[in-house]
């Protein structure tokens, strides 16, 4: 918390922020106001109606909804009208195949148009959309499709051959495979999606789903263990819309770019649904991370609001690029980040290099949408996740052994980060794991599994995941604090910190460090870093051991897997590795 706040000033803003007075909004906001703002075209509530169909019938119909950038930089645009027609066709394809309301439609694909069309078309049919990350191997695909009772899989011919064909006998419920890139049907059950789409009508009656009906199945990132399947309902769209308005601050003319893959919840909630609910243009890049490419996208597409993740920001920070002379990023108005703690260093890097601070926000698969955030109009305290969104109550609580729960109102105390589970996008279950779901709720609270603290002004500070907290010599140490201190050293690109069992002090703080390009590991540098951390953190919290690594193990969604660092350090089983980023 040694960083100065970054103040905001309204004066130079061309676009007036949607959330002007946070305190006022917290006092007056009610989710029922969203009822009036989001008038769909149906008797029920369907995400695809709110995100798409209602715009296709409005004066936004010819606005670009999605712009796809292929790897070779070619562009394919879909207006709201076109996307609406294509997704109608997809819903009709499902109907023709006998796919019913509530059946699960899985998609295994890169960021190609078919994925987005399938997602929204599935919702229109009243079926459940479940995205899979295209780089998963066969076993993680099988695990998820089996647990999720997949009826339909949309994928490409190559992905099908490489990863799914051999699994078919083990997936008896899987009836239809729709291949997005073949001209003719292969056999009954393995269909050419383009051919079916061509034969389908481009209007359809959207299933009048009810607000509480299941719409989305999202598997968690598997950072702390076996991924869980979180169930979300159509009403979650209220939170997607509301947070895109107040946190992302979307306005009708915005060009929005969410860099997350729809295989993770961010890439669906904010890479598909939320921007469409506001009728804006979303950029979708088919290629993987590349610093020059990303800056060129921001420049050439004139991106105004950018939503990315700490792992990408750290990769950009590693490179010493003079952004002001090399790229024209003058259209960029707001930068947001989610997924992992955002080191204060990164917030300030944004301010210095992009001329814009990075706005951290916190949420998880289970919450379906952003819960705690930094807002355009509010000063940023670098290292803080910000404050709860209007309409959501967050608190620090402590659980007692007798099952009771106590809210900690005193500022500066660590405890469980908890939410009142009365907002529309809270998950409605873990698939086939009722017991685990029930355990997340204690008294009036949903316990998030993260530890945090609240300062005297209501800003929340991430301390760590419950599973990652280190208990050393009677102190509780959050790895984030130690990692952020190490990150301040100019040689450090990334750090991951764990507790290593130690008979004298409980756990010993050990750091794993990846260096910036051009920096060589050495004994002298190790001692320098240990000394640097001790000076910043004090001897009780600073790491006692430090090891250099080429790079740190991460999930495919870019989160440092401390459980794996720990398992490897201790020679323990590595556990579920389905989401580990490889190569
Ligand atoms: P699993 O639950 O399977 O271990 P996961 O928790 O990483 O995986 P996600 O739901 O994708 O799966 O991630 C949510 C978690 O990511 C949060 O609970 C939190 O630990 C972390 N996180 C997300 N955003 C932030 C943030 N801004 N600051 C700190 N941590 C964050
Ligand atoms: Mg989790």
């Amino acid at each position: 918390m040694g960083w100065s706040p970054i103040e905001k000033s309204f004066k130079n803003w061309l676009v007036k922020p949607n959330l002007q007075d946070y305190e006022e909004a917290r006092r007056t906001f009610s989710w029922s106001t969203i009822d009036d703002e989001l008038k769909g075209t149906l008797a029920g509530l369907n995400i695809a109606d709110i995100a798409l169909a209602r715009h296709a019938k409005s004066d936004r119909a010819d606005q670009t909804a999605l712009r796809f950038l292929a790897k070779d930089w070619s562009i394919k645009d879909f207006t709201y009208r076109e996307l609406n027609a294509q997704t109608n066709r997809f819903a009709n394809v499902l109907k023709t195949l006998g796919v019913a309301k509530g059946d699960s439609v899985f998609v295994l694909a890169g960021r190609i148009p078919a994925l987005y069309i399938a997602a929204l078309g599935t919702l229109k049919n009243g079926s459940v959309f479940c995205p899979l990350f295209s780089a998963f191997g066969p076993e993680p695909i099988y695990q998820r499709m089996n647990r999720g009772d997949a009826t339909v899989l949309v994928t490409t011919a190559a992905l099908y051959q490489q990863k799914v064909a051999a699994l078919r006998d083990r997936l008896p419920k899987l009836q239809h495979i729709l291949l997005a890139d073949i001209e003719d049907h292969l056999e009954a059950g393995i269909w050419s999606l383009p051919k079916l789409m061509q034969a389908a009508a481009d209007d359809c009656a959207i299933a009048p789903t009810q607000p509480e009906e299941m719409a989305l199945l999202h598997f968690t990132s598997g950072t702390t263990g076996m991924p869980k399947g979180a169930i979300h309902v159509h009403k979650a769209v209220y939170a997607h819309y509301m947070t895109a308005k107040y946190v992302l601050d979307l306005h009708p003319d915005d060009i929005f770019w969410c860099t997350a893959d729809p295989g993770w919840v961010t890439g669906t909630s904010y890479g598909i649904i939320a921007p469409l609910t506001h009728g804006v243009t979303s950029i979708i890049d088919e290629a993987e991370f590349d610093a020059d490419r990303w800056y060129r996208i921001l420049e050439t597409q004139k991106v105004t609001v950018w939503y990315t993740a700490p792992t990408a920001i750290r990769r950009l920070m590693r490179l010493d690029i003079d952004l002001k002379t090399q790229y024209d990023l003058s259209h960029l108005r707001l930068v947001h980040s989610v997924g992992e703690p955002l080191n204060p260093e990164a917030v300030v890097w944004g301010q210095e290099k992009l001329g814009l601070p990075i706005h951290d926000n916190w949420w998880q698969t289970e919450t379906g949408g952003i819960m705690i955030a930094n807002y355009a109009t509010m000063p940023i305290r670098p290292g803080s996740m910000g404050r709860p969104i209007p309409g959501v109550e967050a608190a620090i609580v402590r659980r007692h052994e007798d099952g009771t729960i106590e809210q900690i109102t005193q500022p500066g105390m660590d405890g469980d980060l908890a939410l009142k589970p009365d907002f529309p996008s809270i998950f409605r279950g873990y698939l086939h794991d009722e017991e685990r779901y029930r355990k997340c709720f204690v008294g009036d609270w949903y316990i998030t599994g993260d530890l945090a603290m609240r300062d005297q002004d209501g800003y929340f500070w991430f301390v760590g995941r419950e599973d990652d907290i280190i208990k050393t010599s009677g102190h509780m140490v959050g790895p984030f604090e130690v990692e952020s201190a190490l990150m301040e050293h100019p040689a450090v690109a990334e750090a991951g910190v764990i507790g290593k069992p130690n008979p004298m002090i409980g756990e010993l703080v050990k750091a794993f460090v990846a260096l910036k390009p051009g920096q060589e590991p050495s004994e002298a540098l190790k001692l320098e870093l240990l000394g640097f951390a001790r000076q910043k953190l004090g001897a009780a919290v600073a790491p006692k051991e430090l090891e250099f690594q080429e790079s740190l193990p991460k999930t495919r969604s870019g989160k440092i897997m401390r459980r794996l660092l720990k398992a490897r350090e201790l020679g323990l089983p590595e556990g579920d590795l389905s989401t580990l980023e490889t190569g």
Side-chain angles (χ1 to χ4, degrees):
M1 278 200 276
W3 299 74
S4 327
I6 298 176
E7 299 293 339
K8 310 283 185 60
S9 146
F10 266 113
K11 279 199 298 274
N12 305 325
W13 284 347
L14 297 174
V15 179
K16 203 164 138 198
N18 290 323
L19 184 75
Q20 302 217 0
D21 184 340
Y22 173 80
E23 305 291 350
E24 164 82 10
R26 273 200 70 79
R27 265 196 311 277
T28 57
F29 177 82
S30 140
W31 289 103
S32 62
T33 60
I34 304 288
D35 283 334
D36 304 326
E37 279 183 56
L38 285 186
K39 285 274 177 266
T41 66
L42 298 173
L45 178 77
N46 186 297
I47 295 176
D49 184 45
I50 299 296
L52 192 51
R54 70 188 178 111
H55 297 305
K57 296 186 182 87
S58 77
D59 57 5
R60 299 204 77 70
D62 294 316
Q63 162 101 6
T64 302
L66 303 179
R67 162 165 287 194
F68 289 88
L69 300 179
K71 289 179 185 154
D72 65 1
W73 289 98
S74 60
I75 288 178
K76 171 111 187 80
D77 285 343
F78 288 84
T79 63
Y80 278 87
R81 192 193 306 280
E82 287 161 350
L83 191 62
N84 192 46
Q86 291 291 322
T87 53
N88 282 348
R89 282 178 188 267
F90 188 87
N92 288 330
V93 166
L94 293 183
K95 261 186 209 92
T96 314
L97 295 174
V99 179
K101 208 172 170 187
D103 286 348
S104 319
V105 176
F106 277 61
V107 179
L108 173 74
R111 291 177 292 278
I112 55 172
L115 186 167
Y116 295 75
I117 291 167
L120 294 155
T122 296
L123 296 170
K124 283 184 171 176
N125 192 49
S127 305
V128 173
F129 171 63
C130 181
L132 293 173
F133 187 58
S134 61
F136 280 150
E139 202 49 36
I141 293 171
Y142 167 74
Q143 287 295 341
R144 287 166 179 76
M145 287 184 48
N146 184 44
R147 275 199 278 155
D149 302 315
T151 313
V152 177
L153 174 68
V154 178
T155 187
T156 61
L159 287 171
Y160 176 70
Q161 285 309 334
Q162 286 161 18
K163 302 185 179 190
V164 187
L167 302 172
R168 274 208 78 186
D169 294 345
R170 293 164 68 202
L171 294 166
K173 290 187 184 146
L174 180 61
Q175 290 172 21
H176 301 287
I177 290 157
L178 308 180
L179 298 182
D181 54 353
I182 59 167
E183 292 308 310
D184 278 308
H185 304 318
L186 278 188
E187 58 186 74
I190 307 186
W191 312 105
S192 152
L193 179 59
K195 194 164 180 171
L196 293 176
M197 290 280 281
Q198 210 169 21
D202 65 7
D203 57 353
C204 96
I206 299 178
T209 39
Q210 294 308 307
E212 286 301 315
E213 274 183 85
M214 183 170 172
L216 306 163
L217 174 63
H218 281 299
F219 286 92
T220 60
S221 291
T223 314
T224 53
M226 191 70 172
K228 298 148 278 193
I231 294 171
H232 288 285
V233 297
H234 281 276
K235 185 124 194 215
V237 73
Y238 276 40
H240 301 144
Y241 169 84
M242 182 278 192
T243 50
K245 178 173 174 180
Y246 288 135
V247 181
L248 304 179
D249 195 42
L250 294 187
H251 287 71
D253 294 332
D254 273 322
I255 310 281
F256 175 64
W257 183 26
C258 168
T259 60
D261 188 275
W264 314 114
V265 71
T266 308
T268 298
S269 292
Y270 296 98
I272 307 180
I273 302 167
L276 295 178
T277 65
H278 285 271
V280 306
T281 299
S282 255
I283 303 293
I284 295 155
D285 183 28
E286 210 191 317
E288 295 309 317
F289 175 87
D290 174 85
D292 175 57
R293 183 176 172 102
W294 278 32
Y295 287 133
R296 277 169 63 198
I297 292 174
L298 292 173
E299 176 180 62
T300 58
Q301 300 307 316
K302 303 186 167 55
V303 172
T304 55
V305 181
W306 185 32
Y307 195 14
T308 189
T311 183
I313 295 165
R314 287 195 299 261
R315 287 172 83 169
L316 296 173
M317 286 168 68
R318 258 186 223 196
L319 308 167
D320 204 12
I321 301 177
D322 181 4
L323 293 176
K324 294 198 175 111
T325 58
Q326 290 196 29
Y327 303 93
D328 173 12
L329 305 182
S330 58
H331 294 91
L332 205 52
R333 189 175 88 243
L334 275 168
V335 185
H336 305 275
S337 162
V338 73
E340 271 197 302
L342 185 67
N343 316 86
E345 188 79 9
V347 179
V348 172
W349 173 87
Q351 177 76 356
E352 283 168 4
K353 300 283 178 168
L354 302 167
L356 299 168
I358 297 172
H359 292 72
D360 186 21
N361 57 65
W362 176 95
W363 57 290
Q364 44 177 208
T365 309
E366 290 85 344
T367 70
I370 299 169
M371 294 285 119
I372 298 180
N374 286 284
Y375 306 85
T377 38
M378 197 187 282
I380 295 182
R381 300 186 175 177
S384 162
M385 323 192 272
R387 300 179 66 183
I389 61 166
V392 166
E393 195 178 334
I396 305 299
V397 303
R398 191 155 295 156
R399 279 175 286 172
H400 297 296
E401 280 179 7
D402 62 4
T404 57
I405 195 161
E406 174 198 358
Q407 187 172 341
I408 304 172
T409 46
Q410 196 186 340
M413 303 277 281
D414 293 359
D416 283 294
L417 175 60
L419 304 170
K420 277 263 170 71
D422 56 1
F423 54 92
S425 63
I426 182 76
F427 69 135
R428 303 299 199 273
Y430 282 133
L431 195 74
H432 305 317
D433 202 347
E434 180 58 31
E435 162 97 19
R436 180 163 202 160
Y437 174 68
R438 260 193 307 105
K439 280 197 185 136
C440 298
F441 299 87
V442 184
D444 290 340
W445 298 98
Y446 160 61
I447 310 292
T448 65
D450 286 340
L451 301 185
M453 72 95 168
R454 200 177 145 273
D455 68 19
Q456 67 283 4
D457 301 312
Y459 281 73
F460 283 73
W461 300 74
F462 183 79
V463 172
R465 291 159 178 274
E466 211 167 17
D467 301 16
D468 290 339
I469 293 297
I470 303 163
K471 296 173 196 83
T472 182
S473 307
H475 299 278
M476 303 274 276
V477 176
F480 173 52
E481 186 186 2
V482 181
E483 290 160 7
S484 288
L486 286 164
M487 287 275 298
E488 286 178 46
H489 190 282
V492 176
E494 237 171 17
V497 168
I498 62 160
K500 195 174 149 183
N502 177 292
M504 300 298 289
I505 54 172
E507 281 183 306
L508 173 153
V509 180
K510 170 154 190 178
F512 296 84
V513 167
L515 296 173
K516 285 192 181 152
Q519 298 286 341
E520 287 301 320
S522 70
E523 200 50 36
L525 182 55
K526 184 196 278 189
L527 292 175
E528 185 181 322
L529 290 176
L530 288 171
F532 179 81
R534 200 163 44 246
Q535 207 180 13
K536 295 225 161 266
L537 297 165
V541 174
K544 301 266 185 308
E545 286 183 19
L546 187 144
E547 190 177 314
F548 294 111
Q549 291 205 340
E550 197 59 22
S551 64
L552 302 179
K554 288 191 210 78
T555 64
R556 294 188 187 279
S557 50
K559 300 166 196 265
I560 297 170
M561 285 173 108
R562 294 178 193 82
R563 73 167 157 104
L564 196 53
L565 287 170
K566 190 160 177 171
R568 287 177 179 167
E569 175 70 26
L570 305 178
L572 296 171
E574 296 191 340
D576 180 80
L577 297 185
S578 64
T579 60
L580 177 67
E581 181 184 57
T582 48

